[in-house]
Amino acid sequence: TSFAGDFAFDNNGQTETSGFYARVNWELQGGSEFTSITDYKSYDKRLFIDVDSAPVNQLANYAGVNAETYTQELRINGETDNTRWVTGVYVLYIDNESDNGLKGPVNSIAATGIGLPVDIGTNAKLDTTSYNIYGQFDYDFAEDFTFTLGARGIREEKDFELGIGFFQSFGNDTFNKGPFL
């Protein structure tokens, strides 16, 4: 019986998440309320999977993600006997980097033409920033009828980078670090 252990190393898959959430409400004069909602999340993933299950390692899938998100909402709302209203701002920021592909060890199908161990990979980076302003006014002008007026303005900016290709591999437990081949 043969066993291929090139991709059977400690920590061949791990995920770490952390975050913070806070919501604060303040009663204002005149019956209005101010609300602040803050949220932060961090996500890191690293995974290697032997996809061919052959006695000699040919290919392994790898995936890595490093993502952070931050949101902030500030809003004021209030009401009277026959009206309700809300207005606020919302900001979202996402920073996401990912590295996915196949690893081809020495003497594998993927490395045969090049002679070196290779990573056939996709590196992507996406930064997103979204700004929002909104408001809504409801007026109950009869017992079963409400007039609603609302608006939202959004501006979103995205910055995307993508690299696809063959990279020199520096080990079965690493992600793309070398230049394109």
Side-chain angles (χ1 to χ4, degrees):
T1 301
S2 5
F3 174 75
D6 290 346
F7 297 107
F9 47 83
D10 288 339
N11 296 323
N12 67 347
Q14 63 186 39
T15 301
E16 294 179 23
T17 61
S18 61
F20 169 80
Y21 172 84
R23 178 181 176 139
V24 180
N25 295 324
W26 286 282
E27 292 292 327
L28 303 174
Q29 292 180 354
S32 298
E33 181 179 50
F34 174 79
T35 303
S36 172
I37 301 172
T38 305
D39 186 67
Y40 170 80
K41 300 274 188 292
S42 175
Y43 176 78
D44 289 306
K45 173 185 169 183
R46 176 182 141 128
L47 177 66
F48 294 89
I49 301 171
D50 184 359
V51 294
D52 61 25
S53 300
V56 175
N57 287 319
Q58 293 294 322
L59 294 172
N61 174 261
Y62 64 93
V65 176
N66 181 352
E68 292 184 55
T69 63
Y70 169 78
T71 62
Q72 178 65 58
E73 181 176 11
L74 303 172
R75 73 172 177 250
I76 299 175
N77 63 287
E79 63 182 75
T80 65
D81 289 341
N82 61 344
T83 64
R84 288 163 308 286
W85 59 272
V86 62
T87 186
V89 296
Y90 176 81
V91 176
L92 164 70
Y93 177 70
I94 302 171
D95 179 9
N96 183 44
E97 295 181 36
S98 66
D99 190 356
N100 299 283
L102 295 172
K103 298 193 81 52
V106 174
N107 298 323
S108 68
I109 295 168
T112 302
I114 300 170
L116 297 170
V118 295
D119 292 345
I120 306 163
T122 301
N123 297 316
K125 181 170 176 47
L126 175 62
D127 291 329
T128 302
T129 305
S130 180
Y131 306 95
N132 299 260
I133 186 167
Y134 60 89
Q136 181 172 316
F137 176 77
D138 296 327
Y139 173 65
D140 301 328
F141 62 90
E143 188 172 325
D144 292 330
F145 295 97
T146 301
F147 171 77
T148 300
L149 178 66
R152 175 179 289 271
I154 300 172
R155 177 183 170 104
E156 190 163 281
E157 301 169 358
K158 292 185 179 275
D159 184 20
F160 181 68
E161 297 175 22
L162 178 67
I164 302 172
F166 290 85
F167 300 85
Q168 181 177 354
S169 180
F170 292 97
N172 291 336
D173 61 346
T174 64
F175 289 97
N176 301 334
K177 293 183 181 177
F180 283 108
L181 295 174

